[in-house]
Amino acid sequence: MNLVLFTHPASLGSQSQMRLVRALAEAYTARGHRAEIRQPQARVRRLLPQGRLSKWAGYVDQYLIFPQEIKRLLARDPADTLYVFCDQALGPWMPAVIHRPHVVHCLDLMALRSALGLIPENPTSATGRIYQRYIRAGFRRAKHFVSISEKTRADLHEFGNFEPVSSDVVYLGLNHPYGPLAADEAAGKLLSAGIAPPEHGLLLHVGGGQWYKNTAGVLNLYAAYVTQRRASGRPVLPLWMVSPAPTDTLQRLIDSLPPEAQVRFLQGVGNDTLQALYSLAGALIFPSLSEGFGWPIAEALACGCPVLTTGEAPMNEVGGPVANYLPRLNHADSMPSWAASGAQKLIAMLDRPEAERAAAARAGIEFARRYDADFAIDSYLKIYERVTKGWQSPQTV
């Protein structure tokens, strides 16, 4: 197949999106297909200094100049080219290729739901609401979609307010061969990364610091855990946060923790180091308010690490029957009450007999096999082939 993969401009700094797109292109090429990545270039944006105007200049590059480039390249592309939009947020480019075979990868609809006033924790400005309507007006013209979870597909249909010709779900494949490491091997990987291993284990959080990662909730839950452990005279595990450095607000919260608490933030952690952390952790604490997928849940399970996450989709979809669940921390909930209840569940997980912990680890590893990268790539290609072969049919045009 001849594949053109559209993605965001490099100037947006979306490293995870670019890594995903490059991984897709490399995998498709390795399977004998032709895959080309296309993205807007910073033609106008580079003429202006960084700031508010540069953002608007970036919009000129993305939504005025790039669609014209798409049309010019379209004339030279083979007739059987399939155009793959690697994020539904690229919807404004859809009109340029609507008459050619295409598939849209749908990652999450959190921004759209926020713009519709459905997520009170993340209010959207007036211009943001207009922007999301613009994006939706573009992607809802597409005919074929593949979503990363059942939750994302359901949101696509409900909040996109349309029914596409085809709409599949393919779970994301892990971008690293995650698996459990023996304690000495995991410690060695940490030392190789310049990180001194914890003496007696750790609790782990992996997040990007975004509003939906509920970082304050993680710290409050940890504070409740420390308080409950101290009251019972039991030792306390440190909390390691693979997350951006704390804001002033979070730092004040950390400073108010009981003296036995130990919180460490890590940035720039590679896959090997992250695998070692999962392998040493007593539990992953991941109480997100929302997710498109929830990579750390799958990664932790693959390493045999117990997971405590939110009992709502897609977190409970990714964690299935093998993860442990908390209620979502809603806008009107009492943080102390929620944190105390969560700490009780965490302690119950940590205090399970060794045989029970080992059985749970094996179940998590087995469940995580569904997030195999090769299976995901093969599934995408089958969808692409189906769309390309059926495009001439009147039923799919």
Side-chain angles (χ1 to χ4, degrees):
M1 285 185 290
N2 293 303
L3 305 173
V4 169
L5 279 60
F6 290 121
T7 188
H8 295 281
S11 58
L12 288 185
S14 180
Q15 296 182 8
S16 59
Q17 167 75 186
M18 200 62 233
R19 282 197 299 269
L20 173 62
V21 175
R22 288 193 183 117
L24 290 176
E26 290 171 2
Y28 297 157
T29 301
R31 285 162 171 76
H33 304 284
R34 178 181 173 272
E36 177 186 350
I37 298 173
R38 292 180 187 170
Q39 62 188 144
Q41 301 303 308
R43 304 185 189 283
V44 178
R45 192 179 191 278
R46 68 186 175 192
L47 301 177
L48 298 174
Q50 185 69 29
R52 183 179 177 84
L53 288 179
S54 67
K55 181 182 77 170
W56 289 98
Y59 290 155
V60 172
D61 288 327
Q62 293 179 65
Y63 304 126
L64 295 180
I65 296 176
F66 189 57
Q68 299 307 312
E69 294 180 355
I70 292 175
K71 291 178 181 179
R72 286 196 297 271
L73 292 170
L74 211 66
R76 302 204 303 261
D77 291 335
D80 63 348
T81 300
L82 177 73
Y83 298 90
V84 180
F85 291 75
C86 295
D87 186 342
Q88 83 285 343
L90 307 176
W93 306 337
M94 178 54 63
V97 301
I98 194 64
H99 60 292
R100 301 286 291 269
H102 60 263
V103 172
V104 179
H105 284 253
C106 192
L107 305 182
D108 71 73
L109 277 295
M110 281 188 285
L112 177 57
R113 290 167 56 212
S114 294
L116 294 172
L118 301 175
I119 305 181
E121 296 87 355
N122 187 45
T124 304
S125 66
T127 55
R129 293 194 294 271
I130 294 170
Y131 185 43
Q132 286 303 314
R133 287 200 295 268
Y134 177 50
I135 289 173
R136 180 173 63 174
F139 75 65
R140 68 187 300 179
R141 296 184 64 183
K143 300 182 185 299
H144 303 282
F145 289 82
V146 54
S147 297
I148 61 175
S149 68
E150 293 289 353
K151 168 63 174 174
T152 295
R153 177 166 65 177
D155 284 351
L156 172 69
H157 294 194
E158 180 177 359
F159 304 115
N161 193 26
F162 75 118
E163 285 294 331
V165 173
S166 71
S167 183
D168 295 274
V169 173
V170 176
Y171 292 126
L172 292 173
L174 293 173
N175 62 355
H176 179 78
Y178 285 102
L181 300 175
D184 56 348
E185 183 180 1
K189 286 186 178 293
L190 292 184
L191 288 171
S192 297
I195 301 172
E199 292 184 10
H200 305 293
L202 71 146
L203 300 173
L204 183 65
H205 171 72
V206 178
Q210 301 94 329
W211 65 268
Y212 56 87
K213 296 298 184 182
N214 192 19
T215 310
V218 173
L219 291 170
N220 275 279
L221 193 157
Y222 180 63
Y225 156 80
V226 173
T227 299
Q228 292 178 27
R229 274 301 212 207
R230 182 177 57 180
S232 65
R234 302 290 299 279
V236 171
L237 293 174
L239 173 63
W240 287 23
M241 308 275 287
V242 179
S243 180
T247 63
D248 290 343
T249 300
L250 292 177
Q251 187 59 55
R252 287 193 292 272
L253 178 55
I254 294 169
D255 292 341
S256 69
L257 292 174
E260 295 86 352
Q262 301 177 56
V263 179
R264 179 176 184 179
F265 281 77
L266 298 171
Q267 294 88 38
V269 172
N271 288 328
D272 284 342
T273 304
L274 192 55
Q275 181 180 1
L277 291 172
Y278 286 132
S279 298
L280 292 172
L284 172 73
I285 305 174
F286 196 73
S288 294
L289 304 179
S290 185
E291 288 285 342
F293 183 73
W295 278 106
I297 299 172
E299 293 168 350
L301 292 176
C303 295
C305 176
V307 172
L308 180 62
T309 187
T310 309
E312 292 192 0
M315 287 76 75
N316 57 3
E317 184 180 346
V318 178
V322 294
N324 301 271
Y325 297 104
L326 294 169
R328 184 187 190 277
L329 175 62
N330 292 311
H331 195 57
D333 287 343
S334 164
M335 175 70 84
S337 176
W338 175 87
S341 176
Q344 291 174 0
K345 291 190 177 183
L346 174 62
I347 290 171
M349 291 168 57
L350 296 172
D351 287 348
R352 288 180 296 184
E354 182 57 35
E356 187 176 335
R357 287 178 57 84
R362 290 193 297 270
I365 293 167
E366 182 61 31
F367 187 80
R369 295 186 191 280
R370 66 181 56 200
Y371 307 119
D372 176 73
D374 287 334
F375 179 80
I377 294 298
D378 291 341
S379 298
Y380 294 147
L381 289 171
K382 288 178 182 177
I383 294 169
Y384 297 172
E385 289 171 357
R386 185 189 71 210
V387 170
T388 303
K389 291 178 180 178
W391 189 258
Q392 296 304 319
S393 169
Q395 286 78 18
T396 59
V397 174

